[in-house]
C-alpha cells in the first residue's frame, strides 16, 4: 500500500507542476475574465485520462501500478475540478452569466468529448 501511495504522489506531483505551468502560461492569454488555465487543464486532462483508460482496455498494458501513478496521481494532480467549481462560484458572484454559461457548457461538453476522443484515438 505504501508503494502505491508513493506512486500516486509522484504522479500527482508531476501533474500538479504541469497544472501550475499551464495556468501561468494561459494567464498570459486570458482576456475578459475567462478562466482559461482551469479550462485548458480540465479539457486536456479529460483527453489524457480517456487515452490512458482506452489503452488499458484495448491493450491491457496499464498495470495497476501505472494506473495509480498516471490516472489517480497524474490526472488527479493535473485536473482541477475544485478550481472549476470556484471559478463558477466567482462568475456567479460577479453575475457574469454569459461567461459562466459559456465556461460551464464548454467544459462539460468538451470534457466528455475529449474523454471519448482519448479512448477513440487509442482503439
Amino acid at each position: 500500500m505504501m508503494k502505491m501511495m508513493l506512486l500516486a504522489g509522484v504522479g500527482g506531483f508531476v501533474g500538479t507542476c504541469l497544472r501550475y505551468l499551464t495556468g501561468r502560461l494561459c494567464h498570459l492569454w486570458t482576456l475578459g475574465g475567462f478562466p482559461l488555465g482551469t479550462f485548458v487543464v480540465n479539457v486536456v486532462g479529460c483527453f489524457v485520462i480517456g487515452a490512458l483508460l482506452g489503452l488499458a482496455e484495448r491493450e491491457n498494458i496499464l498495470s495497476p501500478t501505472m494506473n495509480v501513478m498516471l490516472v489517480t496521481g497524474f490526472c488527479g494532480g493535473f485536473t482541477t475540478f475544485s478550481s472549476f467549481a470556484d471559478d463558477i462560484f466567482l462568475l456567479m458572484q460577479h453575475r457574469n452569466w454569459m461567461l459562466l454559461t459559456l465556461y460551464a457548457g464548454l467544459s462539460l461538453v468538451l470534457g466528455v468529448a475529449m474523454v471519448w476522443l482519448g479512448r477513440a484515438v487509442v482503439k
Side-chain angles (χ1 to χ4, degrees), residues 6-24 37-38 40-42 44-46 48-49 52 66-81 83:
L6 289 172
L7 287 170
V10 167
F13 174 77
V14 173
T16 300
C17 290
L18 286 176
R19 173 185 167 197
Y20 172 77
L21 293 172
T22 301
R24 297 298 301 161
T38 304
V40 167
V41 296
N42 282 337
V44 170
C46 287
V48 170
I49 203 169
L52 289 172
M66 293 304 288
N67 188 319
V68 166
M69 188 169 73
L70 296 174
V71 174
T72 303
F74 177 79
C75 289
F78 185 66
T79 59
T80 57
F81 190 76
S83 296

